[in-house]
Amino acid sequence: MKQQRAIAITIFLVCLLNFPLLSLFNKTVFIFGMPLVYVYVFSVWAVGIIVIAIIAESKNVEETQEHE
Amino acid sequence: MNIQKNIKVLIVDDEPNILLSLEFLMKKEGFIVFIARDGEEAFDIIKREHPKIVLLDIMMPKVDGYEVCRFIKGGNETKETKVVFLSAKSKEADIEKGYSVGADLYIPKPFSTRDLVKKVNMMASGVVSQ
Amino acid sequence: MNSYILGLISIYYLAFLFIVAYQAEKKSKNAKSIVSNPNIYALSLAVYCTAWTFYGSVGRASTDGLDFLAVYIGPTLVMFLAFPILLKIIRICKTQRLTSIADFISSRYGKNRSLGVLVTIICLLSGIPYIALQLKAISNSFGILTRSLLNSNILVDHTFYIVILLILFTILFGTRNVEATERHEGMVTAIAVESIIKLIAFLAIGMYVTYWLFDGFEDIYNKAKLLQAAKKNFVVENESGMSMWFWHTLLATMAFLFLPRQFQVTVVENVDEKYINRAMWMFPLYMLLINIFVMPITLAGGIIFNGQAVNSDMYVLSIPLHFSDESLAILTYIGGFSAATGMIIVETIAISVMVSNNLLMPIFLGIPASKDLINLNPSRVIQFMRRFSIALIIFLGYFYFKFITEKYSLVSIGMTAFVVVAQFAPSVLGGIFWKRGTQKGAMAGLVGGTVIWFFTLIIPSLVSSGVISDKIMTEGLFGVSLLKPYELFGMTGMDNISHATFWTLFFNIVLYFFGSLCSKQTSIEHNQAVLFVDVFQYSKGIENSVVWRGKALVSDIMNLLESFLGTSRTERIARVFATRNNINLNTRYADARFVNYSEKLLSGIVGTASARMMVSSVAKEEEISLNEVVEILKKSQELMAVNKELKQKSQELKLLTEQLQAANEQLKFTDKLKDDFLATVTHEIRTPLTSIKALSEILYDNEDIEHSERQHFLNTIIKESDRLSRLINQVLDLEKFESGKVKVAKETLNLEEIIIDSIESIEQLAKDKGISIITKIDKKLPKFEGDRDRIMQVMLNLLSNALKFTEGNKGTITITAYKQDDNLYVNVIDDGAGIAKQYQELIFDKFYQAHDQTIKKPKGSGLGLAISKRILELHNGEIWVESEVGKGSKFSFSIPIE
């Protein structure tokens, strides 16, 4: 379960952090004085870390032992 | 026959019909016969009369035959009393147990009256000779 | 700043690391392992962030903008995918006792030696320049702080002394144990501490720049907007920028997995697989934190040094120096120093294991004289080789830095190294997910990828340094225009690294797949392939790699192990293994499993290829056909399935045994009951028989008996005969109940009728005895289902018992019947002798003469009550008695209406 969730999240993140989705935010727009694309990449990154942390640290009974 | 007139015989059995036949047989031989229908009655008579021979059933209500036998062989005044077990229990273990509690003779039921009379008479003469 | 002071600071820092590592080693010896901690593990992964990160990120950000982040986004994604990839690699290395990426690849593809050599060489090619890069960073930062020029005389070059110290440190904490599988706790702890230091240092300089020199992010960006040069940093430039982002992310993804130092900390030094759970988010978080201030520092540097010739790679040092904040500059120096030393230490340990196991050891074992030396003190020999390799690698790095990098451009050394390391990806990832991958495929892919790497990245750097003519760049190899290193097959529009990444991986993957599909696996290859791909199935099983078949003397194998592990350890290991696998080691020839296990143990010390050589030197091997291998593997898989089934079966068997035991107890009990019953019946039959026999004999022997007495005796004989036949009938009746032969009829019955009928049949007897009978039967009793004759039998039995025990002339028998709830109740009450408490249960039993029991139950009850009880049971009813001695008895039974 844990494994599947992590894989799904990662695939989603790969899409978010790549062309063409990334180019949607690749504009000379500033948020809080910072370029949009930086704010975007860092926020996606941070949210990804939080989500994965929640998944990884969850006490899953069948975790790591059964992977196949 | 006359010699035996003074010898007291106690018959202990809970079956009235067996008592009936035993009483007849012993009286006919000239013994003084006492009858008890269970162990407790037997104790009283033994204490009172000191019979020389006791014909004893094993399976009885209240107190069983083994107990009565032990009582007889354990008492100072009655330890010379001859005990004959008459029992429907006929397994070897039962007979052994009968002898182990001090019986002088063990006759399984159903018994032969002639044989019984002969053996009791022999026992009675042994008693007399002492 | 005085260079001696800075030199001293560097030495103090290394001394501090010594203490940290030493303490950790000491604690681990006392079994209080510090490394057994998921946080330490996660932090140690940050060895990924080298001086290249510390100084170079700012430099790269200033030229390529957002792209500098690709190198961190890639590893982040890999960490998120730790479960299917990293965990599998870790598990494989643990079960196979693999200690390096070279071992991993050579072991996967049939323990092939040349693959191990190739991988080692590739690691050296990527590692040496990378180490040189770190040394250059140390040297440059030192130079900037002391404002001194680099000295080409190594004896006055402080970097040389730092190199010596690093070699000492690495040897001390990297070669403590000959067994490479044993973890380097001191080293790992030191690396984790270094990770914290470099993060703190970088955050400090970042905050200093952003909040001290400027007014936060917004301020920096607003000021930077005015700079023409900074514009390109705000967005990713057009499509080539996007493709660069993609390729660089992909490249970093693969490099992160297979960089020797990364493989060392992530896989080899992993203490517990569960630590992955922590590392998979903590390490990405670390990378995010260390990158937050990169862009502000880059832009600040651009603003501060606008128009000046200041190397952007060194902004983190130049900015505090520019504002004369020396202490901050020193902190930054220490941060960069720790990033560099951490990388050098781990990378050296990782590569040295490969070099000594895959290059030196096999060569050494090939020398005839080596045997004697090995036998003399093998662990000494291994330790020496390890130490020699460490010194060699660091010196090579130093000389590369000293005499080559000074002439060549350093900019892309990091990325160039990444590209060549990424060549391991097809062989490793293919190897753990695809069983069909073969040795030839792996070899072809690796060689192909490396050749393309050399052509697309190394040749240009040689050209730019003037070693070879630049003709090749403009006209292509041999003048073929399709073979230009930067525009292979005419591909343009990509940066050099993306271009190289694409072509190397393209050739590598194609060659790997086609090479695999076009070649056959040997038996050992197939075996390894299955063990790798299905590691989660096999690692749980027993010693299952049983492909080896041959003859080896137990004493030879033991000698081999003893020379590496010592006598006592060898004996202990052998004993444990023998017990665990139920093997007898007192035979002349060793069990195949033991030989296998020994090879694995040795490969943890000297590497896969060397271990194989040593074992085959003492064993006569027989080649096993592929079919046999398949059979063996199938069997071990079946065995596991069977095992599982067996476990379940034995569980069932246990349950069955328990049931059987219970049944047996029950049987024994019933057997005893039968015995008791037989004894009872015998006794019961003998009693009337005794009377009949005795009385008959008396009558026969005494013809002169009085008439009345004779009549009495004859009457008794008749009565006893009746009793006998009744008894026999009862026994037969009971037997029928016992064997379930009795079938009760289901008729609709009227209880009142039955009671009245039964009373009628004993009325005369009662009258004769002078006993009165009273009935109290409720009117309108409901009808019920049952067997009339059987219920009648119960009633009669109860009534005749009551009659028997009630005293004549004054006794009374009361019969009541009523309905309550869903039951009909019948009571038969007498005022006779009563039954003592202890017999009240007994009288319903079919026997009373239990073994050794000589107390009789009240006379006359016979088997009638036992039969009544069974009749009622068949009607789902109950029967019981309440009684008090001297006051009478109350027999009751109940029958449910429905």
Side-chain angles (χ1 to χ4, degrees), chain C residues 88-151:
Chain C
K88 192 165 190 178
I89 294 175
I90 290 174
R91 180 70 68 84
I92 290 166
C93 286
K94 280 191 176 154
T95 52
Q96 301 269 324
R97 288 172 181 267
L98 305 175
T99 55
S100 68
I101 182 81
D103 256 9
F104 190 94
I105 292 176
S106 91
S107 172
R108 162 63 180 82
Y109 297 101
K111 306 189 179 180
N112 183 281
R113 222 189 108 191
S114 35
L115 264 178
V117 172
L118 179 63
V119 173
T120 304
I121 290 171
I122 292 176
C123 286
L124 274 172
L125 289 180
S126 78
I128 302 292
Y130 216 144
I131 289 172
L133 188 69
Q134 309 302 315
L135 291 172
K136 189 178 169 87
I138 293 174
S139 168
N140 279 354
S141 59
F142 195 93
I144 286 175
L145 265 182
T146 55
R147 296 173 210 277
S148 64
L149 289 171
L150 293 180
N151 200 318

Side-chain angles (χ1 to χ4, degrees), chain B residues 29-90:
Chain B
E29 292 306 307
F31 296 111
I32 303 166
V33 179
F34 298 91
I35 282 172
R37 285 164 198 280
D38 59 48
E40 281 175 2
E41 262 183 72
F43 286 150
D44 292 341
I45 296 168
I46 290 160
K47 276 186 251 174
R48 205 174 58 229
E49 303 291 344
H50 306 307
K52 289 300 162 210
I53 296 173
V54 178
L55 302 183
L56 195 54
D57 187 20
I58 292 176
M59 300 277 295
M60 290 182 296
K62 294 178 191 170
V63 181
D64 64 30
Y66 298 130
E67 204 61 31
V68 177
C69 182
R70 276 192 209 104
F71 176 80
I72 293 166
K73 294 295 177 182
N76 258 339
E77 295 166 311
T78 55
K79 61 182 172 205
E80 297 304 325
T81 300
K82 301 285 174 189
V83 174
V84 179
F85 273 127
L86 282 169
S87 174
K89 288 164 81 84
S90 56

Side-chain angles (χ1 to χ4, degrees), chain C residues 660-883:
Chain C
L660 221 61
Q661 246 160 13
N664 195 28
E665 285 301 308
Q666 185 65 42
L667 220 62
K668 267 193 202 159
F669 186 65
T670 18
D671 213 39
K672 190 168 160 334
L673 288 191
K674 222 165 203 162
D675 271 3
D676 293 344
F677 179 61
L678 216 60
T680 308
V681 168
T682 313
H683 189 271
E684 206 73 349
I685 288 172
R686 272 180 184 153
T687 305
L689 209 56
T690 307
S691 303
I692 292 167
K693 194 184 181 203
L695 290 170
S696 309
E697 279 180 6
I698 289 168
L699 285 173
Y700 185 82
D701 288 343
N702 303 277
E703 283 175 20
D704 56 341
I705 208 163
E706 265 179 54
H707 180 71
S708 64
E709 202 163 27
R710 172 188 219 85
Q711 285 307 104
H712 181 46
F713 284 2
L714 284 172
N715 191 30
T716 307
I717 290 174
I718 293 166
K719 271 203 284 186
E720 290 288 340
S721 302
D722 284 344
R723 182 178 163 192
L724 201 56
S725 63
R726 201 166 53 241
L727 195 73
I728 290 168
N729 282 337
Q730 281 182 335
V731 169
L732 292 175
D733 215 16
L734 202 61
E735 157 62 23
K736 268 196 247 165
F737 277 104
E738 293 287 291
S739 58
K741 279 177 199 148
V742 175
K743 290 218 169 67
V744 288
K746 286 270 171 191
E747 313 158 81
T748 310
L749 303 177
N750 185 330
L751 187 60
E752 192 178 358
E753 219 178 277
I754 293 172
I755 294 171
I756 289 167
D757 282 359
S758 62
I759 291 169
E760 253 170 34
S761 66
I762 58 142
E763 229 164 7
Q764 195 53 47
L765 261 165
K767 248 180 210 162
D768 291 350
K769 241 187 143 181
I771 293 166
S772 49
I773 296 175
I774 304 163
T775 51
K776 289 179 195 163
I777 302 170
D778 283 3
K779 292 293 153 194
K780 288 181 189 167
L781 280 177
K783 304 209 155 136
F784 71 98
E785 296 259 292
D787 189 316
R788 189 174 200 283
D789 291 348
R790 292 298 179 185
I791 302 293
M792 193 77 174
Q793 195 181 346
V794 174
M795 272 311 296
L796 284 173
N797 180 253
L798 291 182
L799 287 172
S800 60
N801 279 350
L803 273 179
K804 220 181 281 175
F805 293 106
T806 310
E807 247 177 274
N809 294 325
K810 55 177 182 180
T812 317
I813 296 172
T814 312
I815 297 141
T816 63
Y818 55 92
K819 174 190 173 260
Q820 192 182 316
D821 298 327
D822 291 331
N823 289 304
L824 288 170
Y825 290 87
V826 177
N827 298 318
V828 176
I829 306 151
D830 66 61
D831 50 8
I835 303 159
K837 199 104 205 148
Q838 69 261 37
Y839 304 120
Q840 288 182 7
E841 285 278 317
L842 206 64
I843 53 172
F844 296 103
D845 275 341
K846 61 173 180 172
F847 64 93
Y848 55 79
Q849 196 185 1
H851 281 303
D852 300 328
Q853 191 199 324
T854 45
I855 302 292
K856 232 169 159 179
K857 69 178 174 178
K859 200 173 64 186
S861 49
L863 293 166
L865 284 171
I867 292 171
S868 298
K869 191 182 175 194
R870 277 172 180 72
I871 291 171
L872 283 161
E873 276 168 3
L874 284 172
H875 284 83
N876 298 319
E878 280 178 78
I879 185 166
W880 67 96
V881 67
E882 291 161 46
S883 178

